[in-house]
Amino acid sequence: MRLALAVCVLFLLAILAGCSQEKKASAAQPPVPVVVASAEHRDIPLTLNAIGTVEAFSTVQVKSMVAGQMLKVHFSEGQDVTKGQILFTIDPRPFEAELARARGNLQRDAAQAENARVQAVRYAALLKEGVVAQQQYDQMQSTADAAQATVAADRAAVQAAQVNLQYTKIYSPINGRTGSLLVHEGNIVKANDVPLVTINQITPILAEFSLPEQFLPEIKKYIAAGQLTVAAVFSDSQQPPIKGRLNFIDNAVDRSTGTIALKAEFGNKDRILWPGQFANIVLTLTTEKNAVVVPSQAVQSGQEGAYVFVVKSDKTAESRPVVTGSTYQGAIVVRSGVQAGETVVTDGQMRLVPGAHVDARTAQEAQPAATPASAEGAKS
């Protein structure tokens, strides 16, 4: 009995000694270095992102309406042109001759029609006097009517000749920029054949993009409340986002892709956007005012959902589950779990456990100081 009691006492003493050593070891562990940031209030836009293709606001393929020899090209390839500016001149001489012939036919037939009318009037008087037969009068009246119809046809021929003569000068139908010249001076062109040049209107300009159909109700909801803004962003350049507006929603969802096509209009006065160019399109639906946001790298994913490590006033880490919202420019909205002004860990979470002591530094403080050699290299 005494032996068993002695063994128990020794066992308890060993346990107490081990706990004491664990406490000492725990107390001896240095704090975990982490990078922190503060949760803050900020206005965060609710956005949708897509890849868009820039396209001309309007495109015109200029063709000739008459056949003839290209006499003069009045512009250079890639030149900006205005609506009504002359582009091409086709040799007008054959059309001037045709107009003169049509006018001559009109004068001749008008004289013959006048003579037939006078004869018909004379025969009408003779018919009343019983000098001529009804058949003779009807024949003269029919001749007068036919001559008058010939005059009407001649007038139409004159108008057609005038139109064809006008078509020998081709003007720009829109303001825009010309492309490659496909028919040069001296070539023979056919009526309504290959395009002579293509003109793209690039101020304003459009960007076409598609979004999953699940966002269509939100888009319709917010556009009903007002105009939606769109930004074209180029990730590979220093160009700031180009602002525009949503001006088109397709009337049907594409069944093959499950997306809805949209278009945005940009003023493009600086001509930064160009037809055929790809751009990142950011559609802003609304702005969430005074939302609590943290850097997106602060939010971690676990078995029970999203969580963040919050640094308490005693320099220990606390794990908190959070409910997040939209993300914008590296910041994520936290709807619950974190309050504005609290400090969250943005780097070093892998070494943390709840209750661990931390050595908290901001991102600026955590950056290594430049060595004298590197500083001299930067100056040089």
Side-chain angles (χ1 to χ4, degrees), residues 34-48:
V34 294
V35 179
V36 297
S38 296
E40 59 184 3
H41 286 294
R42 194 188 303 174
D43 294 343
I44 297 295
L46 177 59
T47 60
L48 300 175

Side-chain angles (χ1 to χ4, degrees), residues 259-274:
T259 59
I260 183 73
L262 304 100
K263 290 183 181 181
E265 179 182 335
F266 301 87
N268 203 34
K269 293 182 179 179
D270 297 332
R271 300 194 173 187
I272 298 171
L273 298 174
W274 211 252

Side-chain angles (χ1 to χ4, degrees), residues 247-270:
N247 74 340
F248 170 77
I249 302 175
D250 204 357
N251 59 1
V253 173
D254 188 339
R255 292 184 179 180
S256 61
T257 61
T259 59
I260 183 73
L262 304 100
K263 290 183 181 181
E265 179 182 335
F266 301 87
N268 203 34
K269 293 182 179 179
D270 297 332

Side-chain angles (χ1 to χ4, degrees), residues 172-195:
S172 174
I174 60 172
N175 297 328
R177 190 178 183 91
T178 59
S180 298
L181 183 62
L182 302 180
V183 178
H184 297 268
E185 294 178 4
N187 285 284
I188 302 299
V189 298
K190 298 179 180 180
N192 199 26
D193 195 24
V194 298

Side-chain angles (χ1 to χ4, degrees), residues 40-101:
E40 59 184 3
H41 286 294
R42 194 188 303 174
D43 294 343
I44 297 295
L46 177 59
T47 60
L48 300 175
N49 299 325
I51 301 297
T53 304
V54 181
E55 61 182 34
F57 190 82
S58 59
T59 299
V60 176
Q61 291 185 332
V62 179
K63 296 183 178 181
S64 175
M65 297 297 293
V66 293
Q69 184 181 30
M70 181 64 67
L71 192 64
K72 181 69 176 177
V73 178
H74 299 273
F75 67 95
S76 302
E77 292 179 317
Q79 177 184 333
D80 292 327
V81 295
T82 58
K83 183 178 181 179
Q85 178 178 338
I86 187 169
L87 302 178
F88 302 97
T89 298
I90 297 173
D91 188 359
R93 291 173 296 179
F95 302 95
E96 292 171 346
E98 180 63 24
L99 177 59
R101 186 182 69 83

Side-chain angles (χ1 to χ4, degrees), residues 123 127 130-138:
Y123 269 71
L127 179 64
V131 178
V132 296
Q134 180 70 38
Q135 182 180 0
Q136 291 178 303
Y137 167 74
D138 292 341

